[in-house]
């Protein structure tokens, strides 16, 4: 699936994205620096009405957010692997505990720990599509 959005349409696209993601628990976001990964993840969290302030976990590696769905509190782990040197550092940071939990994980820079990403993860490739637009290519591999 391919989608194009701007900041004016990001909320609509994020809403549709959650519907098309189905039961995916791990969503891996690929894209160059500045492509809009964190901005799109912020929009996804806005749609879920997370309670916490959403920000880039570049230095903390993992941010945990909570939201209510079907009357139950649920979690989203926002993971940014950019600063990690290798998969061993990801293991030491506790990434596997998040990835194999029953909670949603939104992972930026998944290629830094590719072997740890579950095979059923949803992959989102974000790229520039002009000065104001971003393109998402969504796949299961």
């Amino acid at each position: 699936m391919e989608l194009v959005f701007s900041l004016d349409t990001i909320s609509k696209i994020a809403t549709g994205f959650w519907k098309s993601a189905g039961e995916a628990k791990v969503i891996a976001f690929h894209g160059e620096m500045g492509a809009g990964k964190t901005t799109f993840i912020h929009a996804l969290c806005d749609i879920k009405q997370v309670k916490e302030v959403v920000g880039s976990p570049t230095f903390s590696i993992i941010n945990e957010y909570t939201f209510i769905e079907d009357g139950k509190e649920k979690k989203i782990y926002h993971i940014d692997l950019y600063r990690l040197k290798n998969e061993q550092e990801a293991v030491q940071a506790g990434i596997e505990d998040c990835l194999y939990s029953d909670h949603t994980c939104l992972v930026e820079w998944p290629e830094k720990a590719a072997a740890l990403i579950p095979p059923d993860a949803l992959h989102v490739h974000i790229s520039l599509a002009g000065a104001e637009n971003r393109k998402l290519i969504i796949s299961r591999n």
Side-chain angles (χ1 to χ4, degrees):
M1 177 189 315
E2 188 172 309
L3 302 167
V4 176
F5 68 91
S6 67
L7 287 178
D8 292 338
T9 61
I10 195 169
S11 183
K12 178 181 174 186
I13 296 298
T15 299
F17 178 87
W18 279 125
K19 290 176 185 172
S20 67
E23 298 297 315
K25 290 294 183 187
V26 177
I27 305 171
F29 291 86
H30 306 265
E32 295 179 11
M33 184 75 69
K37 297 180 294 295
T38 302
T39 300
F40 191 67
I41 288 171
H42 194 289
L44 291 173
C45 290
D46 285 348
I47 298 304
K48 292 290 187 182
Q49 298 180 339
V50 301
K51 297 176 183 178
E52 298 77 15
V53 173
V54 177
S56 176
T58 300
F59 294 101
S60 62
I61 309 298
I62 304 168
N63 285 351
E64 181 179 311
Y65 312 127
T66 56
F67 65 100
I68 304 297
E69 186 174 79
D70 299 327
K72 295 180 183 176
E73 185 172 88
K74 297 193 176 187
K75 293 182 185 179
I76 292 175
Y77 291 115
H78 181 188
I79 303 167
D80 188 332
L81 303 178
Y82 180 74
R83 291 184 44 234
L84 301 185
K85 293 182 182 100
N86 54 47
E87 289 171 0
Q88 185 59 35
E89 284 189 356
V91 170
Q92 291 170 347
I95 302 303
E96 286 178 305
D97 293 338
C98 298
L99 295 176
Y100 293 94
S101 71
D102 194 33
H103 302 292
T104 301
C105 295
L106 308 176
V107 184
E108 297 186 52
W109 302 99
E111 56 276 1
K112 296 279 192 158
L116 300 179
I117 304 298
D120 62 344
L122 187 65
H123 292 268
V124 179
H125 297 266
I126 301 178
S127 60
L128 300 175
E132 303 293 323
N133 295 324
R134 301 295 187 264
K135 178 170 66 172
L136 303 178
I137 297 176
I138 304 161
S139 65
R140 290 280 172 191
N141 53 20

